[in-house]
Amino acid sequence: MADVIEVGAARGDAPPPAAGTARRGASGRRTGRLTPYLFLAPYLVLFGVFGLLPILLGVWLSVHQWDFQLPNRPFVGLDNYQELFSSDSAVYGDWWQSVRATAIFTVFSVPLLVVVPLGLALLLNRSFPGRTFFRAVYFAPYVLGVAVIGLLWRFLLDANLGLVNRLLGAVGLPSDTPWVTDVPWAWVSLVGVTVWWTSGFNAVIYLAGLQDIPAELYEAAKVDGASAWERFRHVTLPGLRPVLLFVITTTVLASANVFGQSFLITQGAPGTETRTVVWFIVEEGLRDNDAGRAAAMSIVFALMLAVVSIANFRLFRYRED
């Protein structure tokens, strides 16, 4: 054996590794493969407990008649789902009315929450005195909770005692507008308050995206004689495509899940015209004690939002040119 090692050494070959070294090398490779999962373990545990488990529990609840006040909760299969699409069921009309209200709010709020913050970001991205102050001012409303925003604007928009109607009357405009009790003014109030409240967040996201666009692209466009609109169209918008995808997706999901504004500002008025899906699900599950039906509504609504999100990703997906 020694002769073989000496001959191998003479030829320049490395000696064979010892058995212990080989085992340690295999163990090190296995540990290296497990390292990423060890780092992911805390997140996976939290996601499993607070994300995946509630989803599975919701699916299980949706196929049962789950009443908190009853000792037995019988299995009903897909009956809770069928009621949402059966015109002769007790919840059919209220369910689709809430879907309609949510769709109206989303359709009118999302374009404003995409365009207005972009305009603010373009202005705040310029250099001018007090830029940091104005950035803080536009973002400040977003740090307030929905309870504060809702109660504040409920009083401001009150048709009889609200400051908004008083100011309008002071300048000769109608001073009896029913901002929170009649349509379309209730929708104007909800959308307007939401845009004022949350535009600062999207503006900050846009600002981060604008600062990642190389200044050389704008300089080259100026040299080529591009106007301000052409620079915005051919430099700014393509550079913001990934940011636009994020902003539009998160804004659609946030608007579709609206609850606090309608609950506190319009209180669903007139009638149930501004009662949204999330509000109706809460009433069904907590007020009427039918958690099974509420869970079915939640899953159907989640599937609707998933379809909208997938369509959005396909429409605005980022391509490397």
Side-chain angles (χ1 to χ4, degrees):
M1 182 66 179
D3 295 338
V4 174
I5 295 177
E6 290 177 358
V7 172
R11 291 202 309 253
D13 298 338
T21 304
R23 285 195 297 270
R24 286 195 297 271
S27 176
R29 287 193 295 271
R30 285 195 297 270
T31 303
R33 288 194 295 267
L34 291 175
T35 299
Y37 299 100
L38 293 176
F39 281 103
L40 287 172
Y43 166 77
L44 294 176
V45 171
L46 293 175
F47 174 75
V49 173
F50 297 103
L52 186 59
L53 184 60
I55 293 174
L56 297 177
L57 179 60
V59 173
W60 186 78
L61 287 176
S62 69
V63 294
H64 290 78
Q65 184 182 351
W66 190 275
D67 190 329
F68 297 102
Q69 298 178 345
L70 298 179
N72 297 323
R73 300 171 178 95
F75 177 81
V76 295
L78 298 179
D79 289 353
N80 288 328
Y81 294 93
Q82 292 175 353
E83 288 182 350
L84 303 181
F85 299 94
S86 178
S87 59
D88 58 351
S89 70
V91 297
Y92 176 84
D94 291 334
W95 161 250
W96 288 106
Q97 170 60 38
S98 67
V99 172
R100 176 179 175 272
T102 302
I104 291 174
F105 178 82
T106 303
V107 167
F108 285 100
S109 64
V110 169
L112 292 174
L113 287 171
V114 171
V115 175
V116 172
L118 178 57
L120 290 175
L122 291 172
L123 292 175
L124 297 175
N125 196 44
R126 299 173 178 269
S127 297
F128 59 88
R131 181 178 65 173
T132 303
F133 170 76
F134 284 104
R135 287 181 177 180
V137 167
Y138 284 118
F139 184 77
Y142 186 74
V143 304
L144 300 176
V146 66
V148 177
I149 296 298
L151 293 176
L152 171 66
W153 282 100
R154 174 72 185 183
F155 286 111
L156 291 176
L157 295 171
D158 186 89
N160 299 316
L161 303 175
L163 181 62
V164 173
N165 273 346
R166 291 196 174 190
L167 292 177
L168 291 175
V171 296
L173 296 175
S175 60
D176 57 350
T177 303
W179 293 107
V180 297
T181 57
D182 198 7
V183 290
W185 304 111
W187 290 120
V188 173
S189 300
L190 290 176
V191 172
V193 169
T194 303
V195 171
W196 171 82
W197 177 33
T198 61
S199 289
F201 176 78
N202 286 349
V204 170
I205 303 298
Y206 281 130
L207 275 172
L210 288 171
Q211 292 171 5
D212 285 339
I213 300 176
E216 294 80 4
L217 296 179
Y218 291 102
E219 295 173 359
K222 288 182 180 180
V223 171
D224 291 339
S227 63
W229 167 249
E230 290 172 335
R231 293 195 300 271
F232 173 76
R233 180 183 175 186
H234 297 291
V235 179
T236 303
L237 285 182
L240 287 178
R241 173 175 266 180
V243 177
L244 278 170
L245 174 60
F246 172 80
V247 168
I248 293 174
T249 302
T250 56
T251 302
V252 168
L253 296 178
S255 295
N257 284 279
V258 62
F259 168 66
Q261 297 96 299
S262 61
F263 183 76
L264 294 170
I265 297 175
T266 64
Q267 299 177 355
T272 59
E273 186 72 22
T274 58
R275 183 177 61 180
T276 59
V277 168
V278 176
W279 184 355
F280 185 55
I281 291 173
V282 171
E283 285 187 341
E284 194 69 24
L286 300 181
R287 187 193 66 183
D288 298 336
N289 295 322
D290 196 339
R293 186 182 291 167
M297 293 177 183
S298 301
I299 292 172
V300 171
F301 187 52
L303 293 176
M304 291 179 180
L305 296 183
V307 171
V308 173
S309 298
I310 292 172
N312 183 44
F313 269 88
R314 291 184 63 85
L315 182 62
F316 291 97
R317 64 183 182 272
Y318 180 70
R319 296 188 184 93
E320 290 287 350
D321 296 327

